[in-house]
Amino acid sequence: MGITTSKFVWMNGKFVKWQDAKVHMLTHALHYGSAIYEGVHAYKTDEGTALFRLNEHIDRFFYSANALSMSIKFTKSQLISSVKKLIKMNKIGDGYVRPLAYYGYGNVGVFPKDIPTDIALIAIPWGYYYTKDLRIRTSSFIRHSDKSSVYGAKLSGNYANSILAMHEVRKKGYDEALMLDENGYVAEGPAENIFLVKNGNLITPNSRSALPGITRDSIIRISKGMGIKSYEKNVTLQEVKNADELFFCGTATEVAPIISVDDKIIGNGKAGEITSKIKGKFYDVVRGKDRKYRKWLTFVD
Ligand code: PMP
């Protein structure tokens, strides 16, 4: 997907022009992946632009920053109001917000001694991450365990692992990777969680190598409201391949049906019925059409 630029970027408390949002080559995070980030989806609704579960994303932003011992010199409410302002200044309807905290300019050592934590908020207009149903392949790279990284933290450095997996499977012609954990159980995709549908129920991995995603949590709650049971368990690759339906989910990905795994066709090779129902309901929720979940929306006006 090509990038659509916007007018302003928020950097360390100031709104700067898009073309001026730059960093020095010795920025620590560029060398060591010493950054943390969030992705927040903005949706056009009948009552203006709304950010989906912004509070939870900002909470995770602080959790991740803490994992890397970063000090964020802004409060949660300051960041939330800056995100809202940025969306308005950039006149964004459907869009994506990327809050980023990174170790900035200082020295060249791995340990970020005396290096400031810089913060940026980037907001861009955005459509869909995937517009087709996915053919995925298991990667030979395993996902970080909670012994090699911090469970639940969205650390930029972790994504080298995702990139390795994606290169591996894209080179072979697949759309997306499926990653296992150190015990051989299914973890997640490179940037999304996975759900199986089996006998009308939803199953999602409980692996400590998977990010406990905010969309995943939303899907569990939304499907409960639809009368669909869900549970977490150790999920094997065999179970994934024998699922009735499969889908990935995430802030960017939303709900993306998976139609084959390692060339094994899932169901009838098309997006499943339950997946499609959940996807439809998810769009109603994020676009403010279901009042029950309005608490998840932060309106910018
Ligand atoms: N796993 C990984 C590795 C991710 O990067 C993401 C995207 N943030 C997800 C899962 C889905 O999480 P969320 O629904 O909170 O976006």
Side-chain angles (χ1 to χ4, degrees):
M1 181 170 6
I3 191 143
T4 311
T5 59
S6 57
K7 276 196 143 155
F8 299 101
V9 172
W10 181 98
M11 289 178 90
N12 292 323
K14 293 194 182 78
F15 292 94
V16 300
K17 285 192 192 138
W18 178 270
Q19 57 273 25
D20 296 333
K22 293 178 181 163
V23 296
H24 193 275
M25 276 306 113
L26 269 187
T27 296
H28 194 271
L30 270 180
H31 301 244
Y32 305 111
S34 55
I36 64 99
Y37 75 92
E38 271 307 312
V40 190
H41 216 129
Y43 289 97
K44 212 190 270 182
T45 77
D46 290 343
E47 294 144 84
T49 304
L51 293 140
F52 186 61
R53 304 197 72 175
L54 177 62
N55 290 303
E56 289 86 344
H57 283 287
I58 296 295
D59 283 348
R60 190 169 65 188
F61 185 77
F62 276 82
Y63 172 79
S64 304
N66 186 52
L68 275 193
S69 302
M70 290 173 157
S71 70
I72 308 279
K73 289 179 194 66
F74 297 89
T75 62
K76 286 183 186 175
S77 60
Q78 279 172 326
L79 290 186
I80 286 171
S81 61
S82 302
V83 167
K84 286 159 101 176
K85 202 164 170 200
L86 186 66
I87 290 277
K88 281 202 267 190
M89 286 171 74
N90 285 333
K91 298 189 175 56
I92 286 172
D94 285 334
Y96 185 80
V97 184
R98 169 56 56 85
L100 175 73
Y102 55 99
Y103 279 111
Y105 179 77
N107 65 47
V108 290
V110 171
F111 185 67
K113 187 177 180 313
D114 302 330
I115 296 194
T117 298
D118 290 323
I119 307 181
L121 301 169
I122 306 108
I124 50 170
W126 219 40
Y128 296 106
Y129 196 65
Y130 284 118
T131 47
K132 61 173 182 180
D133 300 335
L134 305 174
R135 293 169 55 253
I136 68 171
R137 187 181 162 101
T138 314
S139 171
S140 63
F141 293 102
I142 62 161
R143 200 83 185 107
H144 290 291
S145 84
D146 60 0
K147 294 181 210 125
S148 62
S149 195
V150 178
Y151 177 69
K154 222 168 135 50
L155 313 183
S156 298
N158 286 348
Y159 287 83
N161 176 241
S162 301
I163 293 166
L164 289 169
M166 287 194 73
H167 272 307
E168 183 186 25
V169 306
R170 288 269 172 104
K171 270 183 205 150
K172 293 177 178 148
Y174 297 85
D175 302 313
E176 192 62 292
L178 178 63
M179 304 187 74
L180 307 181
D181 65 18
E182 59 178 340
N183 301 312
Y185 290 111
V186 172
E188 59 178 350
E192 52 275 300
N193 292 116
I194 190 166
F195 276 94
L196 295 68
V197 178
K198 192 72 187 172
N199 302 325
N201 296 323
L202 282 180
I203 302 167
T204 192
N206 60 2
S207 173
R208 298 278 294 175
S209 291
L211 185 76
I214 293 165
T215 317
R216 175 185 183 273
D217 175 72
S218 308
I219 300 285
I220 290 171
R221 289 166 197 264
I222 291 169
S223 56
K224 190 172 177 205
M226 295 166 76
I228 302 167
K229 280 197 195 120
S230 61
Y231 53 99
E232 298 174 37
K233 66 188 276 299
N234 283 332
V235 173
T236 64
L237 188 53
Q238 206 60 31
E239 285 171 297
V240 165
K241 289 185 184 172
N242 289 302
D244 300 331
E245 302 177 24
L246 280 181
F247 62 90
F248 270 145
C249 73
T251 295
T253 310
E254 303 175 306
V255 176
I258 296 167
I259 53 171
S260 75
V261 181
D262 298 345
D263 296 326
K264 164 85 168 61
I265 305 287
I266 304 301
N268 61 4
K270 295 199 180 105
E273 201 181 311
I274 293 178
T275 303
S276 303
K277 267 191 203 156
I278 291 172
K279 188 172 176 172
K281 186 70 175 175
F282 179 78
Y283 280 123
D284 283 349
V285 170
V286 297
R287 296 209 180 272
K289 294 200 172 115
D290 188 331
R291 297 203 72 81
K292 193 171 153 198
Y293 299 99
R294 273 181 66 99
K295 57 181 186 294
W296 285 348
L297 302 181
T298 300
F299 291 91
V300 302
D301 295 306

